[in-house]
Every structure is written in C-alpha cells, then in structure tokens.
Amino acid sequence: SNAELDFDILIIGSGYGGAAAAEYLSRCVAAEGPPNQPLRIAVLERGQEYLPGAFPRRMADLPGHVRFATSGSAEVKGYRKALFDFRLGPDMCVALANGLGGGSLINAGVMEPALPSVFEGERWPQTLRRDPGQMQAWYEQAGRALGSLDAEGQPNTIARLAGHSPRRADFLAQLAEDGAVPSRQVPITVALDAAPRSAAGLPLERCIACGDCATGCNQGAKESLDTNLLRQAQAQPVGLPLLTHGVEHGLPSVQRAFTPTHGTAAVGHR
C-alpha cells in the first residue's frame, strides 16, 4: 500500500554518511504529530546485500563483480549489481562499493584519526583551526560505534589476534627500532578477540588473517556498516526499511519504485 511507502526521511546510500545519518535519525522524534512519535525513515541502496561467502574468493571471480564508467560517458559497463564500482578519469580514478554498507565492505577497516595539522588550512572553519583537539571526542565516539575501539576506548589492533604473527607489522616494528621509519599498529574494524560481537551486539566470527578485507570478508569477521550502525538503526522500535536493488529488508515485498510523499531527504555518500 502507499502507506507502506510513506516516509519522513529517505536516505540515499548506505555507506558511512548514510549509515551514520540513519543511526542518528532513528533516535529522533517527529516535530509534529503525537508526542514522541519516531520518524519514519528508509535507506535506499543501489547495490545488494552481501553475506559472508558471497564475496569473490579468487582472482578469477573478480570480473563478475565489477562495474565501471569512463570519463565523458554516462553509460555504465560491466555488471550493474557488481560490488566494485570504478570511475575512470584522465586525472583520477575512484573505486567505490556497490552494496549494503557501502565502502565499509571493501576497505581495509583502518580507522586512523587525522593529524591536527590537517585542519590548519583555510578551508576549515575558524573554530576548528583554533582548536583541532575538539575532534578527539568525536573520533572516540566514532571508533566505539564502528568497532575500531573497544568499550573501554582501547584501540583494536592486530596485536589482539592471539596465535597470529603479523609479519609485515613485525617487519615495520623492526625498522622503527632501527631508526629507519616510525611505525605503530593502527586500529581496525575487524573482529580480533575471542567470541567477538559488533558494536551493535551482532555475533561475528574471529579473523583468520586471510588478508581479504579489501575484497569482502567471507569469514564474517569484519565490522562493516551492516553489522553496526545500520543494525542499530534497525533495532529502534519503528524499525528501518533497507531497500536494496529490488529487495526490501523490513518491508513487505514491493517490486516497484517509490517517491517519498512528504518530509525531507537526507543524502548519505557511499
């Protein structure tokens, strides 16, 4: 029915911007109507949902997971539902993710705060240039929400993976001891502890150090956005429909396009 497709807010894209908007707005109430009436929100994702085991496992699998567009042409080539979305230009090429969770599906999960010097440029607001340290509290909040920090605020680094010796990290640490280059382990959004759970409480599998983070985790050990922020948004009493490539998660099956009939649109970038 039309009532099922009536939303206050429609969020386009389920990457970091869209997922953060969905989680935050799912805790808000409408300005009009009955007291404490939750907002009706939906997330629209162009790609499909990926579960562990659905990602490419071999180099030979990759061609079937690629779509791309070239400069000067609006035509999309390859497979429209493909996970990897490449934008090829003369001066810059960009790799995007096409799926529920956006770029969190295919990045390495590294969550490194920006150096204070980054905010010295005039493109930043003056209050931020004066005191870049104010970002620290937001970094910590994001780290806990995304899984790069634990509940005590400690960084989730590869050192937590008992029984695994990270050879590259050990090599860099040795270079640091020799004074060649500075080196330290960085926080990552990968399940490294025993009996791990995502920041939203979803049970995960422990990392097996396969190194396939950037092609999609078939082990189920990665804290991508579909395991934390989007799941938290869905856990709210009113629920959160996730509409992905013709499949509606949390809505009765409706195989047609729709238009929000009232309210505003919050746009999230993958």
Side-chain angles (χ1 to χ4, degrees):
S1 68
N2 288 335
E4 293 170 342
L5 301 179
D6 187 13
F7 304 112
D8 298 307
I9 298 174
L10 176 62
I11 299 174
I12 309 299
S14 63
Y16 288 100
E23 192 281 327
Y24 177 80
L25 291 169
S26 70
R27 295 182 279 112
C28 297
V29 297
E32 301 176 354
N36 299 319
Q37 176 68 35
L39 294 169
R40 293 204 65 208
I41 306 168
V43 173
L44 184 61
E45 166 58 48
R46 182 186 61 189
Q48 60 189 4
E49 181 180 26
Y50 283 85
L51 300 177
F55 297 101
R57 292 182 178 275
R58 304 170 302 160
M59 187 66 70
D61 296 334
L62 284 176
H65 291 269
V66 173
R67 56 177 280 159
F68 65 95
T70 56
S71 178
S73 173
E75 180 185 3
V76 175
K77 301 176 182 178
Y79 298 89
R80 286 189 172 272
K81 294 194 297 181
L83 174 63
F84 299 95
D85 182 6
F86 295 101
R87 311 293 173 84
L88 308 177
D91 302 312
M92 179 182 296
C93 298
V94 179
L96 307 172
N98 188 43
L100 186 65
S104 70
L105 298 174
I106 62 168
N107 62 21
V110 175
M111 296 291 156
E112 183 71 355
L115 295 173
S117 58
V118 169
F119 301 103
E120 294 175 355
E122 293 184 357
R123 63 185 180 274
W124 300 101
Q126 186 175 9
T127 53
L128 187 55
R129 297 202 306 268
R130 270 199 310 263
D131 180 22
Q134 64 185 283
M135 292 294 295
Q136 186 59 37
W138 296 105
Y139 289 140
E140 292 178 3
Q141 182 177 335
R144 287 188 172 92
L146 298 173
S148 62
L149 300 178
D150 63 19
E152 287 72 42
Q154 297 301 308
N156 182 56
T157 70
I158 193 64
R160 291 178 178 239
L161 190 59
H164 172 64
S165 179
R167 288 179 293 176
R168 291 187 182 91
D170 291 345
F171 176 70
L172 289 172
Q174 184 60 53
L175 288 177
E177 291 180 8
D178 296 339
V181 292
S183 173
R184 62 183 176 82
Q185 295 182 357
V186 296
I188 54 178
T189 56
V190 177
L192 304 173
D193 295 329
R197 288 180 176 269
S198 75
L202 180 71
L204 300 173
E205 297 295 329
R206 195 180 192 190
C207 176
I208 58 173
C210 66
D212 291 343
C213 301
T215 54
C217 181
N218 282 310
Q219 172 69 6
K222 192 175 185 184
E223 274 215 53
S224 46
L225 293 166
D226 51 329
T227 72
N228 45 52
L229 291 182
L230 291 172
R231 185 175 179 85
Q232 287 174 328
Q234 277 196 304
Q236 298 299 320
V238 73
L240 176 77
L242 301 172
L243 291 87
T244 64
H245 199 81
V247 178
E248 290 76 29
H249 301 274
L251 271 184
S253 180
V254 182
Q255 301 298 326
R256 69 173 188 270
F258 67 93
T259 303
T261 57
H262 69 282
T264 59
V267 180
H269 299 281
R270 291 183 179 85

